[in-house]
Amino acid sequence: MAGTITRLPEHVANQIAAGEVVQRPASVVKELLENAVDAGATDLQLVIKDSGKTLIQLIDNGSGMSAEDAQACFERHATSKIHQAEDLFKLHTKGFRGEALASIAAVAQVSLKTRTAKDEVGTEVKIAGSEITEVAECVTPVGTVLSVKNLFFNIPARRNFLKSNPVELRHIIDEFHRVALAHPELAFSLHSNDSLLFSLPKSNLKQRITGIFGAKTKERLVPVSEETDVVSVSGFVIKPEFSKKSRGDQFFFVNDRFIKSSYLHHAVTAAFEGLLRDKTVPGYFLFLKVPTDSIDINIHPTKTEIKFDDDHTIYAMLQASVKHSLGQFNVAPVLDFNRDEALDTPYDMNQATPKMPNIAVDPTFNPFKEKSSASRSNYQRLQQHQPSWEALYTQVDAADNKTDLEEITLESREVSGSFFESEEQQSQLPSLQLFGKYLASPTTGGLLLVHQRRAHQRVLYEDFLRRMGSEAANSQALLFPLTLELDTKQRALLQEVSDGMTHLGFEMNFEEQLSLTAIPTSVEAEQVGEVIENLLADLSADVPELSFSTNDALAKSMAKSLSVRSGSKMSQDEQQHLINQLFACKESGVSPFGKPTFKIVTNTEIDNKF
């Protein structure tokens, strides 16, 4: 009987490995940038076309490669970073597995031009689908130019799974941010479809953060710096008043390598305890330096997860460092029980000369002298005219009574056998607001309970979808335009849904700052900032692909931001109007997020309670 286990062909094995390393164009960008940093480059230029689907090109001025290395680098597990297993715990480079270029070459058409400083001419290697098609000498500057064209050209199914261009571009920008923040001493630039998105010169960390996230970020940063034998913590945290509801400004770097760690994030959040607004997360750019033999990086293909030898100590050190910085720079309130504020001397009194206070004395004052008879008579007269409390309960004198009790008409209520004369009168009863959260209204079959926030979300959601389906938009022009500072990623998010926002009544101008010249009539000017912030958070968390999905996400986000809050008091007219609007909706039973908007407690259920 022939064996059932066979060895996979080389090209199939390469494609399987590529599925772990190259998931989308952003994965290619990450590997190319890290390889350039390991090569000692000081200037890295990234060029993107069609969000990386057509072209990803990286130009660096690193050490370059010889003709032999230029061909060997595309083989699996071929690397210059490590030579034996023990080197995995002495890593000082970004890459070490030797799988990146082999995986990229297995699913794309790759062109490599490279030259070392000692060579007069460079080497050009062209490879497609793991097969080298051309090797030749070429003229190229010192460094490497690596071009990745037509990603997943030989795997159409994988290419079909890619998202829209704006979505893929945002992922590329995220990877670009992570490498650029980890190495502020290097120069980076990013071009997308012949437009310059980022140009970051060599600088320090604070300048690099402001170069990426905007100039206003500078005044929001609080420095963190702690040196211990176990870990060295440095970087910045964002002041708690500028915390956001979305996660996007959270960056951890361990030995200049970006990582994701919910455990360390909890440590930072615990340090901000009592300072953050409800449902917001702190922002931070924190760098941890630990001995290389105390961490294990080789636990995930993307190398964004790290195993610490003593993670509990790292947690405690990180929390203490952040809390110390918040207190040191007067961000967090501090109580000092050893200091008496009453003894503090004002600054303008430090050089003042003490003087004897002036004392005024009345020589004619005699505390034993009796009061004058005039004052006593005035007091007695006041007592005589002051009515006593017993007068409130004495019988009114008939002579002083000016009111005839027979002339007073009192409203009388006829007592009937039932509370309601008809079913129609019962249905027209005013609703009742319970706990500032629910609306209760009696019906013929029982008691209607409406969740006011979810009901309002459903009403607004269908109204926004109806507006986006029509060309006419009700908007109010602003006398003074509202400006919001956005980074490149946030600007791309809003541009993606700009058509839908225009149908809602927003008029926007995208420049260095977002300028709003008109807003919908249903939105107050004070609400615009919160509406845009929530919209960016929702779009970042769940990025839509299709046009109708974009409008749907926009309508949901707007409905959530503008709906009535739990705890808000509503008048009788507002309550009845909301209930009528809810039952005029197409899907009145659930909110836009799939939660029930109302419940009916039947008469039978009420009777069973008794």
Side-chain angles (χ1 to χ4, degrees):
M1 182 177 177
T4 59
I5 298 178
T6 59
R7 187 179 181 87
L8 289 174
E10 188 68 20
H11 70 281
V12 178
N14 288 340
Q15 289 186 5
I16 294 174
E20 298 178 354
V21 179
V22 184
Q23 301 174 358
R24 60 192 337 147
S27 306
V28 178
V29 170
K30 173 181 180 293
E31 300 294 344
L32 297 188
L33 288 174
E34 291 182 347
N35 283 343
V37 171
D38 290 339
T42 59
D43 189 359
L44 296 84
Q45 303 176 35
L46 181 63
V47 180
I48 302 296
K49 287 189 177 180
D50 295 334
S51 300
K53 299 175 184 177
T54 301
L55 174 66
I56 302 173
Q57 185 181 63
L58 183 65
I59 305 170
D60 68 70
N61 61 348
S63 59
M65 290 181 285
S66 63
E68 181 181 356
D69 290 341
Q71 301 179 55
C73 70
F74 291 105
E75 298 178 5
R76 288 191 65 192
H77 308 302
T79 180
S80 61
K81 314 296 175 56
I82 62 174
H83 302 285
Q84 52 189 358
E86 289 76 10
D87 294 339
L88 288 173
F89 298 97
K90 303 176 184 177
L91 290 173
H92 296 280
T93 56
K94 303 286 186 182
F96 53 87
R97 291 198 184 102
E99 287 187 337
L101 291 180
S103 300
I104 295 171
V107 293
Q109 299 169 347
V110 181
S111 173
L112 171 67
K113 293 182 180 181
T114 182
R115 180 170 76 89
T116 61
K118 64 180 181 180
D119 293 332
E120 296 183 355
V121 294
T123 304
E124 181 178 9
V125 179
K126 293 183 179 180
I127 183 171
S130 300
E131 295 184 3
I132 296 179
T133 58
E134 182 180 348
V135 179
E137 294 181 346
C138 67
V139 178
T140 184
V142 176
T144 302
V145 179
L146 203 152
S147 304
V148 179
K149 302 177 181 178
N150 301 323
L151 188 63
F152 300 129
F153 78 100
N154 53 350
I155 312 178
R158 290 288 300 276
R159 191 175 180 89
N160 292 335
F161 279 115
L162 293 179
K163 309 296 183 182
S164 61
N165 285 350
V167 176
E168 296 297 341
L169 179 61
R170 282 199 301 276
H171 286 287
I172 290 175
I173 292 175
D174 286 340
E175 296 294 345
F176 180 82
H177 285 175
R178 294 166 182 174
V179 180
L181 286 171
H183 298 279
E185 72 279 2
L186 307 180
F188 291 85
S189 65
L190 173 59
H191 292 77
S192 176
N193 294 336
D194 300 326
S195 63
L196 179 63
L197 297 184
F198 292 97
S199 179
L200 306 174
K202 300 178 183 179
S203 60
N204 55 34
L205 178 59
K206 193 170 188 177
Q207 293 173 341
R208 178 57 53 88
I209 294 174
T210 57
I212 293 176
F213 296 99
K216 287 189 177 180
T217 312
K218 184 177 181 180
E219 60 189 21
R220 303 175 182 176
L221 300 177
V222 179
V224 179
S225 180
E226 291 290 341
E227 294 282 347
T228 66
D229 296 336
V230 179
V231 60
S232 172
V233 182
S234 61
F236 297 91
V237 294
I238 297 179
K239 294 179 181 179
E241 58 264 30
F242 299 105
S243 59
K244 299 180 180 178
K245 296 182 179 179
S246 60
R247 293 195 177 189
D249 297 336
Q250 292 77 33
F251 293 89
F252 277 121
F253 299 91
V254 176
N255 295 350
D256 293 334
R257 181 191 302 276
F258 174 79
I259 68 163
K260 297 178 181 178
S261 174
S262 58
Y263 186 67
L264 296 183
H265 174 77
H266 187 273
V268 178
T269 305
F272 277 86
E273 184 179 4
L275 301 176
L276 296 175
R277 294 174 296 168
D278 187 30
K279 297 181 181 179
T280 59
V281 291
Y284 49 81
F285 309 88
L286 295 174
F287 290 74
L288 281 68
K289 296 287 186 181
V290 296
T292 56
D293 57 353
S294 66
I295 57 175
D296 185 7
I297 304 172
N298 191 27
I299 62 175
H300 195 273
T302 59
K303 293 172 285 190
T304 57
E305 297 181 9
I306 287 183
K307 179 68 175 178
F308 294 94
D309 283 351
D310 191 0
D311 50 0
H312 294 288
T313 303
I314 301 294
Y315 181 100
M317 293 293 184
L318 180 60
Q319 181 182 359
S321 301
V322 175
K323 184 171 289 189
H324 178 260
S325 295
L326 293 176
Q328 182 181 5
F329 292 93
N330 296 325
V331 177
V334 178
L335 292 177
D336 187 357
F337 295 98
N338 297 323
R339 183 177 66 88
D340 187 359
E341 295 183 359
L343 300 179
D344 288 349
T345 303
Y347 291 108
D348 56 349
M349 296 294 292
N350 287 338
Q351 306 299 328
T353 304
K355 297 180 181 179
M356 183 66 69
N358 296 325
I359 302 176
V361 180
D362 184 7
T364 62
F365 175 72
N366 185 359
F368 303 102
K369 186 178 180 180
E370 294 185 359
K371 295 183 180 180
S372 62
S373 59
S375 61
R376 283 199 304 269
S377 61
N378 290 336
Y379 175 72
Q380 292 174 355
R381 192 180 303 112
L382 180 63
Q383 278 189 324
Q384 292 173 0
H385 288 82
Q386 186 70 22
S388 61
W389 64 270
E390 292 91 344
L392 298 174
Y393 298 94
T394 58
Q395 186 175 3
V396 181
D397 189 24
D400 297 334
N401 188 12
K402 304 297 183 180
T403 305
D404 188 1
L405 296 178
E406 296 181 356
E407 297 179 358
I408 301 177
T409 58
L410 300 177
E411 181 181 0
S412 61
R413 178 178 298 176
E414 180 182 355
V415 180
S416 60
S418 63
F419 287 100
F420 312 106
E421 295 182 356
S422 63
E423 295 292 336
E424 181 180 359
Q425 182 180 356
Q426 180 179 356
S427 63
Q428 292 178 354
L429 266 181
S431 58
L432 177 66
Q433 190 175 23
L434 302 176
F435 318 121
K437 189 175 182 180
Y438 304 100
L439 304 180
S441 179
T443 62
T444 55
L447 184 65
L448 172 68
L449 293 176
V450 178
H451 194 292
Q452 65 183 36
R453 179 165 171 78
R454 295 178 186 175
H456 198 201
Q457 287 177 354
R458 165 54 64 178
V459 172
L460 292 176
Y461 170 71
E462 294 196 4
D463 181 50
F464 290 144
L465 285 181
R466 189 163 48 250
R467 291 191 201 178
M468 286 186 282
S470 61
E471 297 183 358
N474 296 325
S475 62
Q476 53 182 347
L478 298 176
L479 184 60
F480 299 101
L482 295 175
T483 57
L484 299 173
E485 184 178 356
L486 304 176
D487 57 33
T488 305
K489 180 182 176 182
Q490 293 173 332
R491 189 179 297 111
L493 277 171
L494 283 185
Q495 286 178 336
E496 196 176 326
V497 296
S498 59
D499 291 341
M501 296 186 70
T502 302
H503 285 299
L504 289 178
F506 288 97
E507 292 184 9
M508 301 178 293
N509 184 14
F510 291 94
E511 295 178 354
E512 295 182 358
Q513 295 180 337
L514 172 65
S515 178
L516 294 171
T517 58
I519 58 177
T521 55
S522 58
V523 181
E524 299 292 337
E526 296 79 9
Q527 298 176 302
V528 173
E530 182 182 359
V531 169
I532 298 297
E533 180 182 352
N534 292 339
L535 176 60
L536 291 172
D538 294 336
L539 292 178
S540 300
D542 186 16
V543 180
E545 301 175 51
L546 306 176
S547 58
F548 72 90
S549 297
T550 303
N551 292 341
D552 182 76
L554 177 59
K556 285 181 179 179
S557 178
M558 293 281 292
K560 181 173 66 175
S561 300
L562 299 176
S563 59
V564 62
R565 305 292 180 185
S566 296
S568 302
K569 294 184 178 180
M570 301 177 65
S571 64
Q572 285 290 333
D573 293 338
E574 291 173 338
Q575 296 175 28
Q576 198 63 42
H577 183 63
L578 177 58
I579 294 175
N580 294 337
Q581 282 188 315
L582 173 64
F583 289 100
C585 294
K586 296 180 180 179
E587 296 288 342
S588 59
V590 293
S591 71
F593 305 96
K595 297 181 179 180
T597 57
F598 69 89
K599 294 286 185 181
I600 295 180
V601 183
T602 63
N603 293 331
T604 304
E605 292 175 340
I606 297 176
D607 291 338
N608 291 336
K609 297 295 182 181
F610 298 93

